[in-house]
Amino acid sequence: MGIGFPYIAELPAELYRSGLMDFVEVTPEAVCRQRAKGNGVAIEIVPEQMDRARETCAALPMVVHGVELSIGSAHGWNPAYIEMLDRFQTLWPFAWHSEHLGFQTIPGENGAVLEVGVPLPVPPTKEAAAMIGSRAATICSRYGVPFLLENPAYYIADLPSDDEIGDDIGLMKAIMDCSPCRLLLDLHNIYCNAMNHGIDPFAAIDRAPLDRVVEIHVAGGASRDGFWMDGHNSRVPEPVWELLEYTLARAPGVAGVLFEMLDDFAVDLGARAIGEELQRAREIWCRARVN
Amino acid sequence: MSGAGELSMALLDFEIALGNLVRARSTVPLSALHLDAAEISCLESLKTSAGFEFTVGVQRSWCVGRATRAGSFSFSVLSKEQRRQLLDEWVEAGGGTSSFFAAESEALLEFVAGRLPHPSHELTACRFEQATLRANQRSVDFQAPDSGILSAAGCAVSRGRYAAMVEFYGEPSEIVQALVKNEALPPISADTTNMLFGPGLDRLCRVASARETELWQRLTETMPLSDILGEGYHRDDLSPLLREGVVECSASGYRHLS
């Protein structure tokens, strides 16, 4: 599709009609609210917010990027997210949808579900790969469009692992090996992990299943307490642009590159600077398509 | 599993252990998690790593952010020091983890209310925010129940799940205006006004009459309608409260028409 940007309600609608982007990525929570339902929670689409998003994004192709599925939770994923996504697809069909590879809920007492408060990395094991691969396959057949998993940024080093899997890249590869799901390669997350754990980002990209990459995220972050943080709160660092150039030359099936940014920071950064980042992404995209 | 800690525990056990460690900021003894010695050793080494500390720091800042949003009005009328102390206490107690805004707000504001002086305008602000969010949550699709239930056999009456009564120590509009504009608050008055909140109310709230206040205070638990009528109340007292969602009624075998 080309170059994309997230739907952010607080930004001027003109940005989405400026020709700077070819597709828009919607996080369903931006048009939803949660409500108590029995002992659990229902995620409901708010019609006014959905209408506003559709009007803003006009004719742009749309993809979904979820944050609430918790596909790596061994006790079970979030059924409320699936129910919401069923309805979302009937209202606003998406070209593909994606989720983060991680877990953010654990079982509590008496059947309760506890939220950890932050997504945590799944240990790279055969058990995790089989469980997530099976869930990804279920999702692929449920929605009939590509389902992508995003490689995470993580700060805890040396998670327990199985030798056959190795690390987060190995886990992603093992999941792709046993399911039809695709990869959302977040290059800023690769950059974070490289900065924080001393790995070679180019080697990590080489080991990733590049033939399964459908979408790429680029973003910025910040240094804090000795770590490079995946904050989505700045412009894209130069090394991440280099990783984009490198990846696009090696991943033949990439359909879109998205500049990812948190709502508050996007408003602070402003439409002009956002436009410059989108233009930079487009130049790299066009060079790669020509070569 | 193998790797850094030669861990052999199942995925579920590992996630429970790591998730609890992050939630509880390392204060949960690993011995309480039913792990064997090798597993405890692996998690002990994770727990003392810089990456774990950083993850806990990120989790904490996300929790503070969620809590700040969930109680924004109440916090806006408190001093910076009060705000920081209450947020710290809440997050230390495990709050701020819920991505479910309504649940986070309800629990946070209950926690905050329990730590504010009574009587105080700050407490009123907290209860006002809690009541507004609670009623608003249900207002979008609230349908007034059929008041015919008040004639059903075995009818029982309770406070509405999305309703509240808030006590103002003075004229409500003056107090709310001062709170919103961050202006000097009027002195605490002994002449109080009670406001009822319900999902079926226009603007979600209105002043409660003395009789409604008595009834609300009487309904600390579900009561048979016959007992309420026996205390001198009439169905006509209850009917508007039912339509406004301030009270709810149930009766076995009764089917609501709307």
Side-chain angles (χ1 to χ4, degrees):
Chain A
M1 288 203 273
I3 304 304
F5 190 70
Y7 166 67
I8 296 174
E10 292 78 11
L11 287 174
E14 299 76 54
L15 179 67
Y16 293 90
R17 297 160 196 158
S18 62
L20 285 165
M21 63 193 82
D22 306 307
F23 72 100
V24 66
E25 188 171 85
V26 175
T27 294
E29 288 73 10
V31 296
C32 290
R33 63 174 187 168
Q34 295 188 331
R35 218 177 76 177
K37 182 184 175 189
N39 292 328
V41 166
I43 305 175
E44 296 177 339
I45 294 164
V46 181
E48 297 79 21
Q49 292 178 18
M50 175 70 119
D51 291 347
R52 187 177 165 201
R54 295 197 69 167
E55 193 185 327
T56 298
C57 302
L60 286 173
M62 186 274 289
V63 301
V64 157
H65 188 46
V67 293
E68 293 286 343
L69 180 59
S70 199
I71 195 169
S73 281
H75 73 99
W77 65 24
N78 179 0
Y81 179 82
I82 296 289
E83 284 171 25
M84 179 280 299
L85 197 59
D86 290 349
R87 175 105 180 103
F88 194 106
Q89 189 181 34
T90 63
L91 294 171
W92 194 2
F94 36 83
W96 67 73
H97 64 121
S98 57
E99 251 296 342
H100 300 79
L101 177 55
F103 75 96
Q104 59 222 50
T105 60
I106 54 173
E109 288 178 358
N110 301 321
V113 173
L114 295 178
E115 293 195 65
V116 178
V118 69
L120 292 175
V122 177
T125 64
K126 288 182 286 186
E127 184 188 1
M131 178 192 79
I132 296 167
S134 164
R135 289 176 178 178
T138 301
I139 290 174
C140 286
S141 60
R142 188 181 186 103
Y143 296 103
V145 296
F147 171 60
L148 287 52
L149 275 176
E150 177 182 330
N151 57 300
Y154 58 92
Y155 308 104
I156 302 174
D158 295 330
L159 282 176
S161 63
D162 284 338
D163 290 340
E164 300 91 322
I165 308 289
D167 61 6
D168 58 311
I169 300 286
L171 177 62
M172 195 60 94
K173 201 165 181 304
I175 293 167
M176 308 276 144
D177 284 347
C178 68
S179 81
C181 96
R182 308 296 183 91
L183 177 57
L184 192 173
L185 188 63
D186 189 311
L187 293 175
H188 187 255
N189 288 348
I190 294 266
Y191 176 68
C192 280
N193 298 340
M195 295 278 283
N196 296 331
H197 307 300
I199 57 175
D200 176 354
F202 295 97
I205 290 168
D206 286 342
R207 288 196 297 113
L210 295 178
D211 58 330
R212 304 291 280 273
V213 180
V214 169
E215 184 181 354
I216 290 176
H217 277 179
V218 292
S223 181
R224 187 176 129 186
D225 301 335
F227 283 84
W228 185 263
M229 199 176 159
D230 180 37
H232 299 174
N233 57 348
S234 72
R235 295 177 78 141
V236 181
E238 202 55 38
V240 175
W241 289 124
E242 288 170 25
L243 295 179
L244 177 62
E245 193 118 34
Y246 183 84
T247 306
L248 284 176
R250 289 160 179 79
V254 177
V257 174
L258 182 122
F259 170 44
E260 199 177 23
M261 177 140 258
L262 278 187
D263 300 14
D264 292 349
F265 297 111
V267 172
D268 290 346
L269 187 62
R272 184 175 171 174
I274 290 169
E276 289 168 4
E277 296 297 87
L278 294 173
Q279 185 56 33
R280 176 90 184 261
R282 185 176 299 284
E283 285 162 14
I284 297 172
W285 169 263
C286 290
R287 272 203 301 277
R289 296 301 101 176
V290 169
N291 293 333
Chain B
M1 291 192 273
S2 65
E6 295 298 318
L7 192 66
S8 60
M9 75 177 95
L11 180 63
L12 179 61
D13 295 333
F14 174 78
E15 289 187 355
I16 291 172
L18 182 62
N20 275 308
L21 285 175
V22 171
R23 275 175 60 90
R25 289 159 195 87
S26 313
T27 56
V28 170
L30 285 171
S31 55
L33 295 176
H34 310 292
L35 306 171
D36 67 27
E39 293 164 350
I40 288 174
S41 163
C42 169
L43 286 164
E44 285 289 1
S45 100
L46 271 187
K47 205 173 117 173
T48 55
S49 70
F52 177 82
E53 281 301 310
F54 188 74
T55 301
V56 167
V58 171
Q59 190 261 10
R60 187 186 171 83
S61 73
W62 286 25
C63 289
V64 167
R66 286 191 197 99
T68 304
R69 287 191 293 278
S72 57
F73 180 62
S74 303
F75 287 131
S76 74
V77 303
L78 299 177
S79 70
K80 194 176 172 182
E81 179 54 31
Q82 268 183 306
R83 194 160 57 226
R84 190 196 57 76
Q85 191 179 335
L86 284 167
L87 278 168
D88 280 352
E89 276 183 48
W90 174 242
V91 172
E92 280 305 317
T97 57
S98 178
S99 60
F100 178 15
F101 179 83
E104 176 68 23
S105 287
E106 180 71 29
L108 166 76
L109 294 170
E110 197 59 40
F111 176 89
V112 171
R115 280 152 184 78
L116 293 173
H118 177 263
S120 68
H121 293 312
E122 288 79 6
L123 176 59
T124 298
C126 182
R127 290 302 191 193
F128 173 78
E129 182 173 24
Q130 187 182 36
T132 305
L133 291 170
R134 192 186 291 170
N136 185 53
Q137 196 193 148
R138 188 73 175 89
S139 65
V140 177
D141 53 2
F142 178 77
Q143 288 186 308
D146 169 21
S147 57
I149 193 171
L150 292 168
S151 302
C155 177
V157 183
S158 59
R159 290 178 176 176
R161 281 164 293 172
Y162 299 89
M165 179 177 280
V166 179
E167 191 173 24
F168 286 76
Y169 308 104
E171 171 56 40
S173 59
E174 275 178 34
I175 295 168
V176 170
Q177 196 161 13
L179 289 166
V180 168
K181 293 184 175 174
N182 215 7
E183 291 171 348
L185 286 156
I188 294 287
S189 169
D191 187 14
T192 62
T193 301
N194 290 304
M195 299 284 292
L196 276 175
F197 289 74
L201 276 162
D202 188 32
R203 293 172 184 256
L204 302 178
C205 64
R206 65 170 173 82
V207 173
S209 68
R211 194 168 175 77
E212 288 168 337
T213 300
E214 276 174 27
L215 178 60
W216 178 267
Q217 288 165 349
R218 190 72 188 82
L219 285 173
T220 48
E221 56 189 30
T222 301
M223 286 179 71
L225 175 64
S226 54
D227 288 4
I228 296 173
L229 298 178
E231 291 182 12
Y233 294 99
H234 303 287
R235 286 187 174 84
D236 288 348
D237 297 324
L238 289 163
S239 190
L241 296 173
L242 184 66
R243 285 197 304 273
E244 293 162 344
V246 173
V247 300
E248 293 176 4
C249 296
S250 60
S252 57
Y254 183 85
R255 293 181 64 193
H256 285 277
L257 297 176
S258 58

